[in-house]
Each structure stands twice: as C-alpha cells, then as structure tokens.
Amino acid sequence: MTEFRRSYGAALWHLLLLLGCFAVTGWIALRLSAEPTAGRMLLWFVGAVIAHDLLLFPLYALVDRALRAAMGSPERRSALNHVRVPALASGLLLLVYLPGILGLGGDTYTAATGLTPQPLLARWLVASAAIFAVSAALYALRHRRSPARRRRSAAP
C-alpha cells in the first residue's frame, strides 16, 4: 500500500473517489447528450471555464495578494477571511440574480413566479449587505474575545 501511495501520490480512497466522480460526470454527460440544447450547455460551460480561469482567477488572486500585503502582520490578516467569505457569497448570489438584474428572461421569470424581476438588484444589494454585516459582527466578536488581545490589555 505504501508503494501505491508513493507512486500515485495519495491514498487509495482518493483514487476511488475520483473514479466515482468521473463515473457520475460521464453518466450526466450521456444523459445530456440527448438534450436538444446540449451544444448550448457545453458552450456555456466552456465559456464559464475560460472566463473563470483566464479572467476571474487572476483578477481575484491579484486582489487577494494586494489585500494581504496591505494587511501587514499575521494578526491583521485574520480579518481577510471575514472579507473573502462574504465576497464569495455575494459573488455567487450575483451569478444567480444577474440574468434578472440585466433583464434577461424577464418573461420566463414572471411566468414562473408571478413576480417582476425589477426588485432583484435591490434584493441582491440587501442580501450582500446583510452577509457583510454578519461577517463584520462575527469578526468584532472574535476580535474582542481573542486571547492575544486579552494578554496585551492585561500587561502593564
């Protein structure tokens, strides 16, 4: 088993899990191949991969490096996760709300829900503000309770 781990680079369960993921992906691809819109879905998926890997990932990696450099000390860097997580959640919500915000598929949205898509921008902004506010409150609570801060305040 150690020889397998040395040659493969990970445990056997990792390989089995990866093979299972490939099997599920293959099954989904076979199911979707009969769909009339399969070509459009594939094009959207390839476009999303290219947009993420070539545009978005370098952009947010650059922003992350700049924020880490601006934060300085490791104690201050712990606040960075309280910005990263809500930013990720807000970005994912934007992906969900973006078609409605841009007015794409408004008739479909209205037919499915009986509502108009006009308030989606405001709802996304309110949800994002709430996510950032909860994260800021958690950071303040965590910072207030941190042992290093208590030790510094107790020192003469």
Side-chain angles (χ1 to χ4, degrees):
M1 190 57 85
T2 57
E3 185 176 325
F4 172 78
R5 187 177 181 97
R6 192 175 328 118
S7 64
Y8 176 65
L12 180 62
W13 65 266
H14 181 270
L15 177 62
L16 294 175
L17 185 66
L18 191 62
L19 289 174
C21 288
F22 281 131
V24 169
T25 303
W27 176 76
I28 290 171
L30 285 174
R31 300 278 300 186
L32 287 177
S33 66
E35 289 288 321
T37 59
R40 288 178 54 194
M41 284 188 268
L42 181 63
L43 183 63
W44 181 89
F45 182 74
V46 169
V49 168
I50 290 171
H52 177 266
D53 291 353
L54 294 180
L55 300 173
L56 293 177
F57 179 74
L59 179 67
Y60 62 72
L62 185 65
V63 169
D64 186 59
R65 277 188 185 229
L67 285 174
R68 284 191 326 179
M71 290 292 201
S73 70
E75 288 176 1
R76 292 181 62 202
R77 283 188 195 160
S78 69
L80 199 53
N81 284 336
H82 289 276
V83 174
R84 284 178 183 152
V85 173
L88 175 66
S90 179
L92 290 174
L93 277 177
L94 178 62
L95 284 177
V96 170
Y97 281 118
L98 191 61
I101 290 170
L102 296 177
L104 304 173
D107 296 335
T108 306
Y109 182 81
T110 303
T113 64
L115 304 170
T116 61
Q118 276 77 21
L120 291 178
L121 176 61
R123 289 178 185 165
W124 172 70
L125 289 171
V126 168
S128 295
I131 291 168
F132 275 97
V134 167
S135 181
L138 287 172
Y139 175 72
L141 183 67
R142 183 176 158 217
H143 186 66
R144 201 178 99 202
R145 291 185 174 180
S146 78
R149 184 173 167 84
R150 273 189 255 133
R151 274 187 261 126
R152 276 186 269 143
S153 63

